[in-house]
Structures are given as structure tokens and as C-alpha cells.
Amino acid sequence: MLNNLPLHALIVHMPIALTILVPLFAVLALFLGKRVMKPHVAWALPVGLLALLLASGVAADKTGEQQEDRVEQVVPKSAIHEHEEAAELFLVVTAGVLVLAAGGLMTNSLGKTMRLVGTAGTLAVLAAGWNVGHSGGKLVYQHNAGAAYSTGGGTAAGTPASATDDDR
């Protein structure tokens, strides 16, 4: 917890952002590697971003596990399980693509092939990340997971607040 906010909710935004950015930077690195600099040098950026993505994904996974028991008090276990499974697949896909993409740092023809494979792999990372984000969004917005940390004063998801005289 940080300022009464669950740490998981603060950390998950890094892998979400990187999941979207990595494919864009992979394509940019391919372009820069053809026109501006040596291909293996340009390719270091997407490999570094994939490593950062994996590290932030592991951090998000660990903080999610730490907060699971509390959230299970308000969210169906099946919904949490769906999110956990999506997160585990995301980490496996990201690690696999990172290994393949790292091969793109080689200067030979295999390095060129691995840069292309790594770029395609970032789309698999994007798809897996989308599933994690979607299932996490469902936890928050459909199952009201934030209620596990509520101190009162708000309304449950889907429950309209009472109208006041000022609202009429």
C-alpha cells in the first residue's frame, strides 16, 4: 500500500504502457537499422524495452499475488483466476520474445532474422498484454475490486448515487 492505494494498481500501468510501445519501437528500430545506424545497435532499444517490460510485469504479478486475499473478499475467485492465468501467459510470452529478440543483437544474418522474428513476437506480447489488461479491467469495473480498499463514502459499481437537491 502506498498512500492507501494498492501497490498493484500503481505498478500495472508500466507494463500496460510498455506493451503498447514495444511493437512501435521494434518497427522504428528496423527502420533506423536500415537508414541511420547499424541494425544491431538500433535493435538494442526494443530489447531493452522488452527486458523492462518483463521486469515490470513480474513486479505487477508479485504485487497482485500479495493483494489477492483481500480482493477475493469482494470479487469472484473465478474472475481473479482468469486474470492470474492471463498474467502468467503474458510473462511467458514476453520472456520468450525477449530471448528471441536478444538474438537480433547479433551482427550476422541470423541476427537479421531474429530482429524480424522479434518484431512479429511483439505483436504476440501485445495480444497477451491486452488479455491481462482486459481481465484486470473487468475485475475493477465489473466486479468492483476497488471496494476491497474502500474506506466508505462511495457507492458500489453499478449502483447509482442518491440524487441531491442540487442535482435536480
Side-chain angles (χ1 to χ4, degrees):
M1 299 282 286
L2 182 65
N3 294 328
N4 291 327
L5 293 174
L7 196 53
H8 182 71
L10 299 172
I11 289 178
V12 297
H13 294 92
M14 176 66 88
I16 289 170
L18 288 172
T19 296
I20 296 165
L21 292 174
V22 165
L24 300 174
F25 278 98
V27 170
L28 177 64
L30 290 177
F31 173 79
L32 292 175
K34 284 187 177 267
R35 306 250 194 265
V36 179
M37 59 183 68
K38 292 183 179 180
H40 68 283
V41 173
W43 191 248
L45 179 60
V47 171
L49 290 174
L50 277 165
L52 184 59
L53 174 56
L54 182 59
S56 64
V58 168
D61 183 58
K62 295 303 175 198
T63 58
E65 287 174 3
Q66 292 170 352
Q67 296 167 338
E68 179 180 3
D69 290 340
R70 188 165 178 178
V71 173
E72 278 182 344
Q73 296 172 15
V74 296
V75 174
K77 288 184 180 182
S78 61
I80 293 173
H81 181 72
E82 175 188 347
H83 185 55
E84 288 174 333
E85 292 295 315
E88 289 171 8
L89 178 62
F90 171 75
L91 291 175
V92 168
V93 169
T94 302
V97 172
L98 174 58
V99 168
L100 294 172
L105 296 172
M106 295 186 288
T107 59
N108 57 16
S109 63
L110 180 58
K112 179 179 180 178
T113 300
M114 298 313 287
R115 287 188 288 277
L116 295 173
V117 168
T119 300
T122 64
L123 298 177
V125 171
L126 180 62
W130 183 275
N131 285 335
V132 178
H134 181 69
S135 63
K138 285 179 11 183
L139 289 177
V140 173
Y141 295 106
Q142 288 180 357
H143 300 291
N144 199 24
Y149 298 93
S150 177
T151 57
T155 60
T159 305
S162 298
T164 64
D165 290 336
D166 293 338
D167 295 326
R168 292 180 199 165

